[in-house]
Amino acid sequence: MDIREIRYIIEIANTRNMTKAAANLFITQPALSKMLKKVELELGMPLFYREGNVMSPTEAGTLLVEHGTGISQIFDEMDSQLRDLKSMKRGRVILGVPPVIAAFDFPEIIMRFRKHFPNVAVEVHEYGARKLESMVLDGMMDIAISMHPVLSDDLSEIIIMQDQIVCAMNPDHPLAKCESITLGDLAPYPFNTFPVNFAVYHELVRKFQAHGLSPMINLTSPTCDFLLKMSSLSNEVCVLPAPCVRYYNKNDLVTRPFEPSFQWGLCIVYKKNINMSEKVRALISCIQQTVEPPI
């Protein structure tokens, strides 16, 4: 017995007449009678008493109609939700972002997405860029924002922002007199930056080591405003992406670029060769429309 047959039997019970039921179901009466006989044979019991043109449910018929009505409603709800899911009205998208950029732009991105898809839930998870890449590869999230370039050949990337890493410090810090700062200039001074599970940390260490220098990393934190505040109070340099400094700096610190420049970029990453849902494509579009374009 399938859902179509259940609905036909419910209609017979509601109309108590084969002719009316067939008309309401837009099928012929012989076809409806044939279906009913088939179901009764499968069950091994009659579902209706026949008294002339009147069809009255038997005990088995009443039981089937009672439960069948609930099944039909559940099926309709399931069908509606599946249609909504296909048309992006429902569902879930899992997005990963580094904590350093979760505050700026992303509330606006989520609100833009919700405006068009109010019943699609967006789960935002905050981790360092490299962990986010690993989670995308493992299928734990749909897309993530990571540091360009990505490390894995199994990930595709869409660049959404290009800027640079800068040094922020008090105006009376000795390095504030420089128009730009080399790694050699920074080496004698303690500085604050992101923790070891962040791509910026590893890139900083790599650059210092490539020049035969050892970085004096004094304090690490994933929180930009905390790092900048500590640098303000301790008169230590803070090494962060320029957009983070622009967003959180209270104008009490000055910024200086590296020489040569220390490039930093953000990209949307997703697993290659996947069948991306329309919801995820829509979220990517919202990110691209909201985040400042690459320069």
Side-chain angles (χ1 to χ4, degrees):
M1 190 187 326
D2 58 30
I3 188 66
R4 178 181 60 87
E5 292 168 338
I6 290 173
R7 286 174 169 168
Y8 283 5
I9 292 168
I10 292 172
E11 187 61 28
I12 295 171
N14 288 338
T15 61
R16 294 178 177 265
N17 182 277
M18 291 292 287
T19 302
K20 290 181 180 179
N24 292 344
L25 294 168
F26 301 100
I27 62 173
T28 64
Q29 182 177 333
L32 185 59
S33 297
K34 183 178 180 180
M35 180 280 303
L36 179 58
K37 288 180 180 179
K38 170 181 171 291
V39 173
E40 288 180 327
L41 283 173
E42 288 177 354
L43 296 176
M45 63 185 77
L47 297 176
F48 292 92
Y49 298 113
R50 281 89 167 165
E51 299 176 4
N53 293 328
V54 179
M55 305 286 290
S56 301
T58 63
E59 184 177 355
T62 300
L63 186 65
L64 190 151
V65 169
E66 288 177 355
H67 289 283
T69 300
I71 292 171
S72 180
Q73 291 172 348
I74 292 172
F75 187 90
D76 286 340
E77 179 65 21
M78 177 190 69
D79 184 64
S80 175
Q81 291 186 17
L82 287 172
R83 291 178 184 275
D84 285 348
L85 189 63
K86 185 176 181 180
S87 62
M88 299 189 296
K89 293 180 181 179
R90 292 182 182 272
R92 179 183 66 166
V93 177
I94 304 177
L95 167 67
V97 298
V100 297
I101 62 168
F104 58 96
D105 283 335
F106 277 86
E108 183 180 346
I109 289 168
I110 302 303
M111 293 308 297
R112 182 192 291 263
F113 183 78
R114 281 182 176 174
K115 182 178 180 180
H116 298 286
F117 313 109
N119 294 320
V120 175
V122 180
E123 288 187 18
V124 179
H125 297 268
E126 298 181 32
Y127 297 101
R130 299 315 178 205
K131 182 173 182 179
L132 290 173
E133 292 176 17
S134 176
M135 294 178 76
V136 171
L137 284 171
D138 291 340
M140 299 174 66
M141 54 184 57
D142 297 301
I143 59 174
I145 307 301
S146 187
M147 184 175 172
H148 169 73
V150 297
L151 299 183
S152 174
D153 292 334
D154 294 322
L155 290 173
S156 294
E157 60 178 321
I158 302 171
I159 299 175
I160 56 172
M161 182 185 295
Q162 288 183 317
D163 213 303
Q164 58 183 321
I165 302 293
V166 297
C167 296
M169 67 208 78
N170 277 312
D172 57 353
H173 192 283
L175 292 179
K177 300 175 183 178
C178 305
E179 291 186 3
S180 59
I181 297 172
T182 67
L183 293 176
D185 294 333
L186 181 59
Y189 298 97
F191 64 89
N192 306 328
T193 191
F194 295 140
V196 67
N197 58 326
F198 279 63
V200 169
Y201 180 99
H202 291 283
E203 190 63 14
L204 270 170
V205 172
R206 187 191 68 79
K207 285 181 177 291
F208 270 94
Q209 291 176 344
H211 287 77
L213 301 170
S214 297
M216 292 181 62
I217 300 175
N218 190 53
L219 173 71
T220 63
S221 171
T223 309
C224 294
D225 53 347
F226 172 74
L227 289 171
L228 291 166
K229 184 65 174 179
M230 287 300 299
S231 291
S232 176
L233 295 174
S234 64
N235 200 30
E236 294 172 351
V237 177
C238 187
V239 180
L240 291 174
C244 299
V245 177
R246 289 195 295 267
Y247 186 85
Y248 290 105
N249 187 14
K250 302 299 189 295
N251 297 320
D252 55 343
L253 300 174
V254 297
T255 60
R256 297 291 182 265
F258 278 98
E259 178 59 42
S261 64
F262 185 166
Q263 293 299 305
W264 175 85
L266 292 179
C267 58
I268 303 169
V269 298
Y270 55 92
K271 197 172 182 179
K272 287 183 178 178
N273 303 318
I274 62 166
N275 185 17
M276 187 180 293
S277 71
E278 290 301 317
K279 294 187 294 295
V280 175
R281 294 182 188 276
L283 182 57
I284 289 175
S285 178
C286 287
I287 295 172
Q288 291 177 299
Q289 293 170 26
T290 307
V291 177
E292 61 183 83
I295 58 175

